[in-house]
Amino acid sequence: MKKFIIEEPFWTISPTATIGIVICNGIDNSIKDEEKYNNLLLEAEKEARKYLQDPEFSNNEVIKVWRDAFKKFKTKKGARYSIEALLKRIKNGNHLGTINPLVDIYNSISLRYAMPCGGEDIDTLQGDVRLTKAVGDEDFVTLGSDKSESPFEGEIIYKDQVGAICRCWNWRESVRTMLTEETKNAFLCIELVDEKRTEEFENALNDLANTVQAELGGTSKTAILDIRNNQVIIE
């Protein structure tokens, strides 16, 4: 029985954070209609522009709150949280393009709500998943690389028994556990650090779960974790 556990060292960095989880089982993530998912992303990109009202990119609130969060632990130089990377592309007029249905769906939700979303293939995870501080020797190989690049000691990471599966909290993921067209069971998450956006966060979580189930079949269930409720069964 696999669990997702948010460990005490994480809460010393971000005690008011909230993590929303969607567990998807029995989905069909094979690409059937690339045009549909391309249009989904295009619509989400249009909606995302409402979060960039200030011409100075770093002055927008959805950017500031995560930059402040990243200042609280050691990060790889140039690392930015995932929603900043997406919004930067939108600001520069660069279309995301499709990857696979599940990733396209969570990227569209991420853009529509300006919140970081991510996911892993449950069947590739080894043991429990933990959101915690890195020891510093965890194995980590990302897409486009052929060598391990371990996180810094104290860096916020998602990890399992084998190694890190996402570095710098939500910056870059491991190729070992990433979602593919063959994924049948998925662990998805949405992360919140701005307490003023709780209602939007809950809407985003439900939107993610409902969209995955409607488009890819299977079943989806949600959970919300915080400092008082720090773990959930994911398999």
Side-chain angles (χ1 to χ4, degrees):
M1 184 181 295
K2 294 175 184 174
K3 295 181 180 179
F4 171 53
I5 304 166
I6 308 177
E7 297 188 327
E8 181 60 29
F10 170 81
W11 299 118
T12 65
I13 294 292
S14 190
T16 61
T18 307
I19 311 294
I21 302 300
V22 183
I23 307 301
C24 310
N25 295 115
I27 62 173
D28 179 2
N29 197 40
S30 59
I31 295 175
K32 293 185 175 68
D33 190 344
E34 190 168 332
E35 183 179 357
K36 176 173 69 173
Y37 293 105
N38 186 61
N39 290 335
L40 182 72
L41 289 167
L42 286 170
E43 287 302 314
E45 289 167 11
K46 291 178 184 177
E47 288 191 51
R49 294 190 181 99
K50 68 186 178 186
Y51 299 105
L52 300 176
Q53 297 298 314
D54 195 308
E56 183 61 41
F57 185 70
S58 60
N59 286 342
N60 290 284
E61 188 64 23
V62 296
I63 306 299
K64 289 195 295 183
V65 293
W66 275 104
R67 286 197 179 181
D68 288 344
F70 264 42
K71 290 175 183 177
K72 298 176 182 178
F73 62 95
K74 189 171 184 180
T75 62
K76 185 176 174 63
K77 186 176 180 180
R80 289 287 187 262
Y81 54 96
S82 63
I83 186 58
E84 175 169 340
L86 292 182
L87 290 173
K88 177 70 78 172
R89 290 178 65 103
I90 303 310
K91 182 178 184 295
N92 293 336
N94 297 320
H95 175 50
L96 261 62
T98 63
I99 297 175
N100 62 60
L102 196 51
V103 174
D104 296 343
I105 289 169
Y106 83 58
N107 275 341
S108 72
I109 296 297
S110 187
L111 286 168
R112 287 177 55 206
Y113 292 93
M115 295 179 187
C117 297
E120 311 296 337
D121 188 320
I122 290 176
D123 297 323
T124 64
L125 297 171
Q126 302 298 310
D128 295 337
V129 176
R130 301 176 184 274
L131 179 57
T132 189
K133 287 183 180 179
V135 175
D137 62 356
E138 291 89 351
D139 184 70
F140 179 83
V141 179
T142 193
L143 190 64
S145 177
D146 58 359
K147 64 178 182 179
S148 177
E149 194 170 352
S150 296
F152 297 117
E153 181 181 357
E155 181 182 319
I156 295 298
I157 62 169
Y158 288 84
K159 64 187 288 186
D160 64 5
Q161 290 179 356
V162 174
I165 60 178
C166 193
R167 281 197 59 184
C168 294
W169 195 338
N170 53 40
W171 167 60
R172 189 159 292 172
E173 68 173 347
S174 166
V175 69
R176 174 173 60 88
T177 61
M178 69 181 187
L179 301 168
T180 70
E181 288 84 356
E182 287 73 43
T183 297
K184 303 298 182 189
N185 304 294
F187 164 80
L188 308 178
C189 64
I190 299 179
E191 298 154 331
L192 179 72
V193 293
D194 185 350
E195 296 174 89
K196 299 187 298 296
R197 302 188 67 203
T198 299
E199 184 176 353
E200 292 171 80
F201 166 78
E202 292 173 353
N203 290 340
L205 185 65
N206 290 329
D207 201 353
L208 178 59
N210 293 336
T211 303
V212 170
Q213 189 162 333
E215 297 294 338
L216 307 182
T219 60
S220 296
K221 60 182 180 180
T222 64
I224 295 177
L225 276 61
D226 56 27
I227 197 169
R228 297 172 298 278
N229 175 40
N230 70 340
Q231 61 181 277
V232 64
I233 294 171
I234 62 174
E235 184 189 54

